Amino acid sequence: MSHTYEIEIKSLLGSEENAKALKEQLNEKEVEAVGTHSQLNHYFNSPGDLSELEKEILSHIPEERRDALRKIIEEGEDHSVRTREADGTVLFIIKASIDEGSSANTVSRIEFEEEVDMSLDELDQLLLDSGLTYQAKWSREREEFRLDDTNITIDKNAGYGYLAEFEKVVEDEEKVPEVRSDLARLMDELGVEELSQDRLERMFAHYNENWEEYYGTDKIFVIE
């Protein structure tokens, strides 16, 4: 498998009460509770040319995964590069959009994600040395559930408040529209609305401009 396609739809819950209501709905469907964890997510502004990043990161990626990384770097567009630490595991992540949204916030993306044997600070420094710059740093508490082949998460995000994500991952790009429809149908059954891409982009832009005020805190903002 060269890479995967991630179909993810977000719903802005906002309050803790709305998050609890969704969890009650999920319990009625007898979802599997996968677990809870904390995450630090660091987003980067990437230069148009990612060849230096490719050269520096490849030695930290398992050999059998390097072709997939080369493909998304060399053939993808509008890349979103980020690092993540979740319960002691450090990940290098790069995504590119395959629909009308951006690679940072969109419904359908091609993605590459791999655990690396270094600290978050060390991985960040490698990216910075490769010509990238920080866009913003994010923090969140995540509850994760699984319903058949659908991953459902409820996050308490710095800045955003509570946010739900409904996600499936497929290997065949032709299945993307069908999967998106399935996720939308499930959300309708659960009584939650899709967060529009326009509003999400406005929220994302506001956070990026003010992330130091929110990172690691319980502060939230409302952007219509």
Side-chain angles (χ1 to χ4, degrees):
M1 180 182 65
S2 58
H3 46 65
T4 59
Y5 296 89
E6 171 194 69
I7 304 90
E8 176 187 273
I9 306 180
K10 295 180 172 65
S11 178
L12 183 63
L13 304 174
S15 69
E16 184 176 5
E17 290 74 18
N18 290 338
K20 287 181 177 178
L22 176 57
K23 281 187 277 188
E24 290 174 0
Q25 291 271 49
L26 292 174
N27 288 334
E28 291 180 4
K29 287 186 171 291
E30 298 183 348
V31 298
E32 175 190 357
V34 177
T36 62
H37 61 270
S38 302
Q39 288 187 1
L40 299 178
N41 290 280
H42 297 172
Y43 282 60
F44 290 80
N45 297 306
S46 59
D49 183 2
L50 291 176
S51 58
E52 185 64 25
L53 171 63
E54 180 180 347
K55 181 176 70 174
E56 294 298 326
I57 195 67
L58 271 181
S59 63
H60 300 280
I61 302 299
E63 186 171 357
E64 66 273 14
R65 295 277 285 146
R66 292 176 185 175
D67 284 345
L69 177 57
R70 290 189 184 99
K71 182 177 180 64
I72 193 170
I73 289 179
E74 297 171 8
E75 299 181 12
E77 297 181 1
D78 187 30
H79 296 90
S80 173
V81 181
R82 63 194 77 172
T83 60
R84 175 179 298 160
E85 181 177 327
D87 296 335
T89 298
V90 177
L91 301 169
F92 169 74
I93 303 165
I94 183 168
K95 305 187 180 188
S97 62
I98 59 172
D99 64 13
E100 70 280 359
S102 71
S103 56
N105 293 301
T106 188
V107 171
S108 307
R109 296 179 285 204
I110 182 174
E111 66 168 2
F112 177 92
E113 179 178 303
E114 187 65 37
E115 182 179 348
V116 295
D117 187 18
M118 60 177 72
S119 70
L120 184 64
D121 288 343
E122 290 170 336
L123 179 57
D124 281 5
Q125 192 59 53
L126 185 150
L127 269 59
L128 295 171
D129 291 342
S130 300
L132 284 73
T133 57
Y134 280 122
Q135 182 183 52
K137 295 183 179 182
W138 299 68
S139 55
R140 67 185 177 199
E141 302 288 331
R142 165 164 284 187
E143 292 184 80
E144 188 171 355
F145 307 89
R146 190 164 183 84
L147 179 63
D148 298 324
D149 59 350
T150 301
N151 294 314
I152 303 168
T153 58
I154 299 177
D155 297 334
K156 182 182 179 183
N157 291 274
Y160 284 17
Y162 285 89
L163 186 81
E165 297 180 355
F166 298 79
E167 177 195 86
K168 287 189 179 184
V169 177
V170 297
E171 299 175 17
D172 184 354
E173 185 176 2
E174 292 183 358
K175 293 182 178 179
V176 169
E178 177 185 352
V179 169
R180 194 199 190 289
S181 295
D182 289 343
L183 290 177
R185 188 160 42 249
L186 173 61
M187 292 174 66
D188 186 59
E189 291 175 6
L190 293 169
V192 294
E193 296 182 357
E194 178 177 350
L195 176 59
S196 72
Q197 289 296 308
D198 288 347
R199 186 180 181 191
L200 180 57
E201 288 294 346
R202 290 193 294 273
M203 293 168 60
F204 191 66
H206 177 82
Y207 185 93
N208 287 340
E209 292 173 3
N210 302 278
W211 67 267
E212 291 176 288
E213 179 181 348
Y214 299 102
Y215 181 67
T217 75
D218 292 326
K219 294 180 180 180
I220 64 172
F221 57 82
V222 177
I223 299 290
E224 297 297 338

PDB file of all heavy atoms in Angstrom, residues 38 84-90 115-116 118-119:
ATOM      1  N   SER A  38      -4.059  12.724  25.827  1.00  0.00           N
ATOM      2  CA  SER A  38      -3.751  14.127  25.570  1.00  0.00           C
ATOM      3  C   SER A  38      -2.861  14.223  24.338  1.00  0.00           C
ATOM      4  O   SER A  38      -2.068  13.325  24.065  1.00  0.00           O
ATOM      5  CB  SER A  38      -3.035  14.753  26.764  1.00  0.00           C
ATOM      6  OG  SER A  38      -3.820  14.657  27.936  1.00  0.00           O
ATOM      7  N   ARG A  84       3.248  15.610  16.206  1.00  0.00           N
ATOM      8  CA  ARG A  84       2.275  15.312  17.265  1.00  0.00           C
ATOM      9  C   ARG A  84       2.934  14.470  18.349  1.00  0.00           C
ATOM     10  O   ARG A  84       3.736  13.574  18.052  1.00  0.00           O
ATOM     11  CB  ARG A  84       1.085  14.550  16.698  1.00  0.00           C
ATOM     12  CG  ARG A  84       0.071  14.084  17.754  1.00  0.00           C
ATOM     13  CD  ARG A  84      -1.090  13.353  17.113  1.00  0.00           C
ATOM     14  NE  ARG A  84      -1.808  14.239  16.209  1.00  0.00           N
ATOM     15  CZ  ARG A  84      -2.617  13.821  15.226  1.00  0.00           C
ATOM     16  NH1 ARG A  84      -2.793  12.528  15.036  1.00  0.00           N
ATOM     17  NH2 ARG A  84      -3.231  14.689  14.465  1.00  0.00           N
ATOM     18  N   GLU A  85       2.592  14.773  19.591  1.00  0.00           N
ATOM     19  CA  GLU A  85       2.952  13.913  20.717  1.00  0.00           C
ATOM     20  C   GLU A  85       1.669  13.493  21.416  1.00  0.00           C
ATOM     21  O   GLU A  85       0.873  14.340  21.834  1.00  0.00           O
ATOM     22  CB  GLU A  85       3.871  14.625  21.697  1.00  0.00           C
ATOM     23  CG  GLU A  85       4.272  13.737  22.867  1.00  0.00           C
ATOM     24  CD  GLU A  85       5.256  14.398  23.816  1.00  0.00           C
ATOM     25  OE1 GLU A  85       6.098  15.201  23.346  1.00  0.00           O
ATOM     26  OE2 GLU A  85       5.175  14.136  25.018  1.00  0.00           O
ATOM     27  N   ALA A  86       1.449  12.188  21.503  1.00  0.00           N
ATOM     28  CA  ALA A  86       0.260  11.649  22.152  1.00  0.00           C
ATOM     29  C   ALA A  86       0.699  10.553  23.108  1.00  0.00           C
ATOM     30  O   ALA A  86       1.163   9.495  22.668  1.00  0.00           O
ATOM     31  CB  ALA A  86      -0.718  11.100  21.122  1.00  0.00           C
ATOM     32  N   ASP A  87       0.603  10.843  24.400  1.00  0.00           N
ATOM     33  CA  ASP A  87       0.960   9.863  25.434  1.00  0.00           C
ATOM     34  C   ASP A  87       2.352   9.282  25.219  1.00  0.00           C
ATOM     35  O   ASP A  87       2.564   8.066  25.301  1.00  0.00           O
ATOM     36  CB  ASP A  87      -0.073   8.744  25.484  1.00  0.00           C
ATOM     37  CG  ASP A  87      -1.448   9.255  25.901  1.00  0.00           C
ATOM     38  OD1 ASP A  87      -1.490  10.297  26.582  1.00  0.00           O
ATOM     39  OD2 ASP A  87      -2.450   8.625  25.550  1.00  0.00           O
ATOM     40  N   GLY A  88       3.302  10.154  24.914  1.00  0.00           N
ATOM     41  CA  GLY A  88       4.696   9.729  24.796  1.00  0.00           C
ATOM     42  C   GLY A  88       5.111   9.276  23.410  1.00  0.00           C
ATOM     43  O   GLY A  88       6.304   9.080  23.160  1.00  0.00           O
ATOM     44  N   THR A  89       4.165   9.095  22.486  1.00  0.00           N
ATOM     45  CA  THR A  89       4.485   8.711  21.114  1.00  0.00           C
ATOM     46  C   THR A  89       4.584   9.958  20.249  1.00  0.00           C
ATOM     47  O   THR A  89       3.700  10.818  20.285  1.00  0.00           O
ATOM     48  CB  THR A  89       3.404   7.777  20.543  1.00  0.00           C
ATOM     49  OG1 THR A  89       3.365   6.579  21.317  1.00  0.00           O
ATOM     50  CG2 THR A  89       3.694   7.426  19.098  1.00  0.00           C
ATOM     51  N   VAL A  90       5.668  10.055  19.463  1.00  0.00           N
ATOM     52  CA  VAL A  90       5.898  11.221  18.618  1.00  0.00           C
ATOM     53  C   VAL A  90       5.692  10.822  17.162  1.00  0.00           C
ATOM     54  O   VAL A  90       6.234   9.808  16.696  1.00  0.00           O
ATOM     55  CB  VAL A  90       7.309  11.787  18.824  1.00  0.00           C
ATOM     56  CG1 VAL A  90       7.568  12.966  17.884  1.00  0.00           C
ATOM     57  CG2 VAL A  90       7.489  12.224  20.279  1.00  0.00           C
ATOM     58  N   GLU A 115       5.408   7.063  13.218  1.00  0.00           N
ATOM     59  CA  GLU A 115       6.070   7.284  14.493  1.00  0.00           C
ATOM     60  C   GLU A 115       7.570   7.426  14.271  1.00  0.00           C
ATOM     61  O   GLU A 115       8.158   6.733  13.429  1.00  0.00           O
ATOM     62  CB  GLU A 115       5.790   6.120  15.435  1.00  0.00           C
ATOM     63  CG  GLU A 115       6.406   6.268  16.818  1.00  0.00           C
ATOM     64  CD  GLU A 115       6.084   5.100  17.727  1.00  0.00           C
ATOM     65  OE1 GLU A 115       5.201   4.287  17.376  1.00  0.00           O
ATOM     66  OE2 GLU A 115       6.733   4.997  18.792  1.00  0.00           O
ATOM     67  N   VAL A 116       8.191   8.332  15.003  1.00  0.00           N
ATOM     68  CA  VAL A 116       9.638   8.540  14.883  1.00  0.00           C
ATOM     69  C   VAL A 116      10.288   8.374  16.256  1.00  0.00           C
ATOM     70  O   VAL A 116       9.670   8.626  17.287  1.00  0.00           O
ATOM     71  CB  VAL A 116       9.977   9.931  14.307  1.00  0.00           C
ATOM     72  CG1 VAL A 116       9.488  10.050  12.869  1.00  0.00           C
ATOM     73  CG2 VAL A 116       9.364  11.041  15.157  1.00  0.00           C
ATOM     74  N   MET A 118      12.334   9.958  18.270  1.00  0.00           N
ATOM     75  CA  MET A 118      12.956  11.185  18.766  1.00  0.00           C
ATOM     76  C   MET A 118      11.913  11.948  19.560  1.00  0.00           C
ATOM     77  O   MET A 118      10.726  11.617  19.512  1.00  0.00           O
ATOM     78  CB  MET A 118      13.515  12.038  17.611  1.00  0.00           C
ATOM     79  CG  MET A 118      12.488  12.487  16.599  1.00  0.00           C
ATOM     80  SD  MET A 118      13.181  13.574  15.308  1.00  0.00           S
ATOM     81  CE  MET A 118      14.134  12.416  14.362  1.00  0.00           C
ATOM     82  N   SER A 119      12.341  12.943  20.279  1.00  0.00           N
ATOM     83  CA  SER A 119      11.400  13.743  21.057  1.00  0.00           C
ATOM     84  C   SER A 119      10.666  14.716  20.147  1.00  0.00           C
ATOM     85  O   SER A 119      11.076  14.970  19.002  1.00  0.00           O
ATOM     86  CB  SER A 119      12.138  14.516  22.151  1.00  0.00           C
ATOM     87  OG  SER A 119      12.938  15.536  21.572  1.00  0.00           O
TER      88      SER A 119
END
